Structure formats: C-alpha cells, structure tokens
Amino acid sequence: MATVFSGVQPSGDYHLGNYLGAFKNWVAVQHENEAFFCVVDLHALTLDIDPSELRERTLDLAVTLLAVGLDPEVVTLFVQSHVPEHPRLAWLLECTATVGELNRMVQFKEKSSGRETVRAGLYTYPVLMAADVLLYQADQVPVGDDQRQHLELMRDLAVRFNNRYGRTFTVPEAVVPKVAARVMDLQQPGRKMSKSIDSPLGTVGLLDAPKDIERKVRRAVTDTDGRVRYDPEAKPGVSNLLELLSAATGVSVEEAAARYDGYGDLKRDVAEALISLLAPIRQRTAELRADLGEVERILTAGADRAHKVASVTYERAAKAVGLFS
Ligand code: AMP
Ligand code: TRP
C-alpha cells in the first residue's frame, strides 16, 4: 500500500480541469492506498483574498471534495492550517532550497508577472508545498500536469535534505493522468482551463447547470478543417473535446475520433457526457451544503489524524538539523 498525498487551494470556482486532472484520480486511488487530501488555505494567502471569503471557501472546498466522492471513512481530509507542522517544516526546507531554484519556477513567473507587488509567500510557495507532502512520507502525488515542476523541486529538496542530515523523507513522485492531464480552455484551446472569472465561456464549472454546459461545449472553438482527428498540436480545440469525451466515458481518444464525421455530433456527445458526469456532483454538493456541521466534524477528525503523522516527521527533521529540544 502506497501513501498518497495531494492538495488544492480554496480558490473557489472548481472546474473540469481540477476534476479530471486531479480530484477524479484522488477518488480512484483512495481505497487501495493510505491517502491524505489537504485544503491548502495557507497557500491561498499568497494572493489577495478576502478573509471572510477564505473562510467560506475553505469549508466549501471540503464540501466539493466530499461531493466528488472522497470517502472520509478511508481518506484523511483536512485543512493545512490546522496542522502547524506544515509551516514549521516549510522553514526547514526554505533553508534547504536555493534562491536559484525558486527563480526557475514557471508558476511563480506566471502568477507574479504584471503585479506591482508580489508577496514573498508566492515565491516560497513551492517550498510549503514540499513540506505538505514530505510530512506524510508520501510516495505518490496525484496532480495535473501543471504541477510537475513543483514536484521535481520537491524531490530535489527531499534528496538534498536526506543527504545532508540523514535519511528523513520519502522521495515522492508525481502521478499525472494519461488523459486530461491538462484540460484546455474551450475558447482558447492554447491555454489551460482555469478559474471561470478569467474565461467564463471557456471554463466548465463543476456546478454548471446542464444548459450552460451544453452552451459552452456548443460554442467551443475548433478549427476550419472539419475532420475529427486527435492531434493536439495541429487541432488543439478538437483534441481537447476528444480528451474530455475520453475522460468522461472511458473510450480512448482515437476510438472516440473514429466515431465522428463532423464537429456538431462530437460536441453533442461531449456535452451529454459532461452533463451526466457532473450531475451527481451537483446533487451531492447541495446535500452536503445543507449539513455543514458534518463537514466540519470530518475536517476536525482529519486534522487529528494528520497531526499525528506530521508531528513524527517534523520532530525527526528538527532533530536531524540540530534544533535543541
Ligand atoms: P489548483 O486549483 O490550481 O489548486 O489545482 C488543483 C489541482 O487541479 C492540481 O492538481 C492541478 O494540477 C489540477 N488542475 C488545475 N487546472 C487544471 C487543468 N486545466 N487541467 C488539468 N488539471 C488541472
Ligand atoms: N500547488 C498546488 C496547485 O496549485 C496545490 C498544492 C499545495 C499541492 N500543496 C500541495 C498539490 C501538495 C499537491 C501536493 O494545484
């Protein structure tokens, strides 16, 4: 049995990219592994977020993760700030990472570009992420393709720490899905799908009404070639639709491509598949939102379990670097 860890920021507006790139794969591995899933509220502080919104979104992300099918009987679902070892280990790892390494992080460059002021926490973000995972001695980290570089850094930090201070951490690996590792925006298939405020028509929200899903898929940008073929380079829009169909129904992209002569039929089936995929999530979300007390109880129990594991690793790391205790 492997140990699995992953996290997601409570940024609101969860979309198909989050679901197919990450959440769905968390649900798929939860029964065969020891799994920890974390609402990373400390990471959310790296960008401007209203305090009351952060509080609300933290609980609502837990609702979403339960609604997509995480089973609190088998996984440890918790909030990052409830386990104080996360920022404590992050400091030890900040003193392991180098400025040169952090300067190379593409997500930092993207998120900081064009801003007048950039929070120092945005810069050290990947180090806190490394602490998240290393505290649980995780073997596998299921994430979307955009997190690969952070995972490489995490591995480098674990190896360096182990070499310098003696074996302390398991060196984790990224597990990226074969299809839909990078779900693209329906309007701009050259960029990844992200929060709906950036691109309302290009993003399918997990809670979108069927008629909105239908409309967004119908309006998805394709090309003028007219042939249904999987070729992400030459035909990014059509290939994205094929990946969505594949991820939602389980047929391969090539098999899916062979079924269609034109874009109209393909879009109709993609919309239908996404509507059935998301319907149970919408319903479950509504049920859970009506019983937030239960969700809070799940998070409290999760934090207790997480803390037990995290404190053992933290104490070991603190002792290894020579902190007096
Ligand atoms: P975030 O919302 O950025 O915290 O991402 C949460 C998880 O969703 C991470 O594992 C990401 O890699 C994944 N993810 C986010 N956007 C996409 C996308 N467009 N396609 C695939 N996976 C994604
Ligand atoms: N950086 C991740 C994202 O934006 C979220 C995250 C924080 C995470 N800590 C993590 C993912 C630990 C996996 C493991 O998607």
Side-chain angles (χ1 to χ4, degrees):
M1 197 157 80
T3 300
V4 173
F5 185 102
S6 201
V8 51
Q9 295 192 60
S11 46
D13 294 319
Y14 309 103
H15 52 80
L16 212 50
N18 296 130
Y19 180 64
L20 297 175
F23 305 164
K24 180 171 174 251
N25 310 302
W26 302 359
V27 173
V29 300
Q30 65 180 339
H31 290 287
E32 283 79 48
N33 300 283
E34 171 81 28
F36 296 86
F37 297 110
C38 185
V39 175
V40 294
D41 55 347
L42 297 174
H43 276 110
L45 295 173
T46 57
L47 297 175
D48 197 18
I49 182 163
D50 179 73
S52 63
E53 232 167 61
L54 175 57
R55 207 168 296 128
E56 206 173 288
R57 286 180 180 180
T58 297
L59 195 57
D60 205 53
L61 175 51
V63 164
T64 301
L65 294 175
L66 294 166
V68 298
L70 288 185
D71 176 356
E73 297 291 323
V74 298
V75 306
T76 301
L77 176 64
F78 71 105
V79 176
Q80 186 185 33
S81 65
H82 292 177
V83 181
E85 282 75 14
H86 289 243
R88 294 178 83 191
L89 183 63
W91 179 254
L92 302 189
L93 295 175
E94 275 182 40
C95 298
T96 306
T98 66
V99 169
E101 274 169 331
L102 296 184
N103 283 341
R104 287 196 289 275
M105 294 295 120
V106 174
Q107 189 169 300
F108 173 72
K109 288 183 203 163
E110 284 169 3
K111 286 193 179 175
S112 59
S113 93
R115 285 177 193 272
E116 222 165 88
T117 58
V118 175
R119 298 183 182 187
L122 187 65
Y123 185 63
T124 56
Y125 175 116
V127 183
L128 178 59
M129 179 169 163
D132 295 341
V133 173
L134 301 184
L135 277 172
Y136 300 90
Q137 307 290 354
D139 307 288
Q140 296 175 1
V141 185
V143 281
D145 183 66
D146 58 346
Q147 297 301 311
R148 273 186 202 275
Q149 193 189 28
H150 287 158
L151 260 296
E152 278 310 311
L153 172 70
M154 186 183 299
R155 290 168 57 85
D156 290 345
L157 297 181
V159 169
R160 189 174 312 147
F161 192 102
N162 287 346
N163 288 340
R164 199 178 280 169
Y165 301 111
R167 174 131 178 29
T168 309
F169 302 121
T170 301
V171 181
E173 60 178 41
V175 180
V176 176
K178 287 195 184 65
V179 269
R182 182 171 284 259
V183 174
M184 307 310 272
D185 187 283
L186 296 181
Q187 287 297 311
Q188 301 167 65
R191 55 171 257 189
K192 70 172 183 181
M193 188 178 284
S194 65
K195 281 171 73 94
S196 58
I197 41 169
D198 302 338
S199 175
L201 256 187
T203 307
V204 176
L206 287 191
L207 302 180
D208 275 2
K211 67 173 186 343
D212 293 324
I213 300 175
E214 207 267 327
R215 184 170 55 99
K216 289 177 185 178
V217 173
R218 189 160 25 86
R219 296 236 226 136
V221 168
T222 50
D223 51 50
T224 52
D225 160 59
R227 273 173 305 169
V228 178
R229 195 157 50 80
Y230 183 72
D231 181 349
E233 291 289 313
K235 298 170 71 69
V238 173
S239 301
N240 191 39
L241 291 174
L242 288 168
E243 288 216 29
L244 292 177
L245 190 61
S246 169
T249 62
V251 298
S252 72
V253 282
E254 289 79 15
E255 227 179 294
R259 287 185 191 166
Y260 299 96
D261 293 325
Y263 299 161
D265 287 352
L266 171 64
K267 286 181 170 180
R268 187 201 57 221
D269 283 5
V270 170
E272 205 173 279
L274 294 180
I275 289 167
S276 342
L277 183 75
L278 299 182
I281 299 177
R282 265 181 99 201
Q283 189 186 336
R284 189 89 184 99
T285 299
E287 288 162 13
L288 286 156
R289 279 182 178 165
D291 191 6
L292 291 177
E294 175 58 15
V295 179
E296 285 186 41
R297 276 192 291 281
I298 289 169
L299 291 176
T300 306
D304 266 4
R305 281 208 297 273
H307 185 246
K308 287 203 177 76
V309 180
S311 56
V312 173
T313 305
Y314 177 75
E315 290 309 326
R316 202 198 296 172
K319 197 166 161 212
V321 302
L323 297 185
F324 188 76
S325 63

